[in-house]
């Protein structure tokens, strides 16, 4: 079932576009674990996919966090509700990556990739 889901997802132009290498010399992280201290809390997680764009000196300029979701999405209303539910997780990812790369949060883009969307 997982292999069939993967093949179906990869056939979708939106998913292929989201996974296409961006121009320049991007650094790609896949399934990278992280741990950061945020105030008085310890935050642990795993980034599904991160693309980091750096300048010639190696300084991070901007980054994108892409999180894969296997929820079945039937319509735009369900998609909006799921995006709302995942917002706290994605904001935690933004905060962690911002701290790790010493980037302003505004330079960290977030994306959810639903691999079972039927829109």
């Amino acid at each position: 079932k997982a292999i069939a889901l993967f093949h179906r997802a990869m056939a979708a132009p939106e998913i292929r576009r989201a996974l296409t290498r961006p121009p320049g010399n991007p650094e790609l992280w896949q399934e990278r674990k992280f741990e950061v201290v945020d105030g008085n809390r310890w935050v642990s997680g795993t980034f599904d996919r991160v693309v980091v764009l750096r300048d010639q000196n190696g300084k991070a300029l901007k980054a994108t966090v892409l999180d894969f979701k296997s929820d079945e999405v039937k319509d735009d209303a369900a998609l909006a509700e799921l995006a709302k539910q995942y917002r706290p997780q994605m904001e935690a990812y933004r905060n962690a990556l911002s701290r790790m790369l010493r980037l302003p949060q505004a330079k960290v883009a977030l994306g959810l990739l639903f691999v079972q969307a039927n829109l």
Side-chain angles (χ1 to χ4, degrees), residues 61-81:
L61 300 173
K62 63 182 180 175
T64 302
V65 177
L66 189 59
D67 200 56
F68 304 115
K69 298 299 181 191
S70 59
D71 305 73
E72 289 192 42
V73 181
K74 301 291 185 193
D75 56 34
D76 289 339
L79 180 64
E81 182 57 34

Side-chain angles (χ1 to χ4, degrees), residues 52-114:
V52 182
L53 298 178
R54 297 182 182 274
D55 66 15
Q56 303 115 295
N57 300 317
K59 180 181 177 191
L61 300 173
K62 63 182 180 175
T64 302
V65 177
L66 189 59
D67 200 56
F68 304 115
K69 298 299 181 191
S70 59
D71 305 73
E72 289 192 42
V73 181
K74 301 291 185 193
D75 56 34
D76 289 339
L79 180 64
E81 182 57 34
L82 284 168
K84 183 178 171 184
Q85 287 176 21
Y86 287 120
R87 170 69 57 197
Q89 175 193 6
M90 297 305 290
E91 290 295 337
Y93 284 0
R94 173 183 278 146
N95 183 46
L97 190 60
S98 169
R99 295 170 67 115
M100 292 167 66
L101 296 174
R102 294 188 174 106
L103 265 177
Q105 288 193 18
K107 298 286 185 175
V108 178
L110 303 173
L112 293 169
L113 189 61
F114 290 93

